[in-house]
Amino acid sequence: MERPEPELIRQSWRAVSRSPLEHGTVLFARLFALEPDLLPLFQYNCRQFSSPEDCLSSPEFLDHIRKVMLVIDAAVTNVEDLSSLEEYLASLGRKHRAVGVKLSSFSTVGESLLYMLEKCLGPAFTPATRAAWSQLYGAVVQAMSRGWDSE
């Protein structure tokens, strides 16, 4: 990534990271609205959620949201050296593959991430900021998709 994109990402993330659970919930609510078939992938203690709201309010899922936001935070922190996260992200990809996530769903996750950023940042979510985040997310997905390539 060239300058000033890393700074756009860091600057916008500072606003989001003040309330990670709130903004992560926006991300997942949007994800379930766009791709409801993902809801059954989230089961805790053999409990199937009856609705996205049921899932989004469960303590176990709130923990998942926190973890997702921490992964995004790690990507932001290492935006200029994402290669340092390659193995971790490939391992995360393997975990997602193991629970039935399809690579194609990452496109919907990306749309949901951009939606959450736009809702959080409002007018500060400029086309340049959108492009920088799209580039970062693309790099993260590329690394995670290695988890589908390896056995």
Side-chain angles (χ1 to χ4, degrees):
M1 246 185 225
E2 303 168 15
R3 307 246 173 227
E5 290 164 346
E7 192 48 42
L8 281 175
I9 289 169
R10 285 189 195 100
Q11 185 179 16
S12 56
W13 184 246
R14 276 192 286 276
V16 175
S17 64
R18 286 186 211 124
S19 304
L21 200 53
E22 174 190 345
H23 298 300
T25 301
V26 170
L27 187 158
F28 277 96
R30 180 67 171 176
L31 179 64
F32 292 143
L34 293 174
E35 201 168 328
D37 292 347
L38 291 176
L39 186 62
L41 297 180
F42 294 97
Q43 294 183 35
Y44 301 97
N45 301 320
C46 300
R47 178 172 171 235
Q48 186 78 44
F49 294 108
S50 58
S51 69
E53 296 76 23
D54 186 27
C55 182
L56 291 167
S57 64
S58 84
E60 298 90 352
F61 193 76
L62 293 175
D63 190 47
H64 181 75
I65 290 173
R66 285 184 194 91
K67 290 175 185 174
V68 168
M69 298 303 274
L70 284 171
V71 170
I72 297 170
D73 190 70
V76 170
T77 300
N78 294 283
V79 66
E80 293 171 293
D81 183 26
L82 282 177
S83 62
S84 64
L85 298 177
E86 289 256 337
E87 285 309 312
Y88 172 72
L89 292 171
S91 171
L92 204 53
R94 284 189 290 278
K95 288 177 185 176
H96 281 78
R97 181 188 67 191
V99 297
V101 175
K102 293 179 175 54
L103 265 177
S104 58
S105 293
F106 281 105
S107 167
T108 312
V109 174
E111 289 177 47
S112 301
L113 172 65
L114 294 174
Y115 175 86
M116 177 270 290
L117 290 165
E118 185 174 10
K119 290 293 175 203
C120 173
L121 299 170
F125 191 61
T126 63
T129 304
R130 173 183 276 280
W133 274 97
S134 293
Q135 190 175 1
L136 174 62
Y137 182 71
V140 168
V141 169
Q142 185 175 12
M144 283 182 72
S145 69
R146 288 183 42 233
W148 271 259
D149 299 337
S150 58
E151 288 302 314

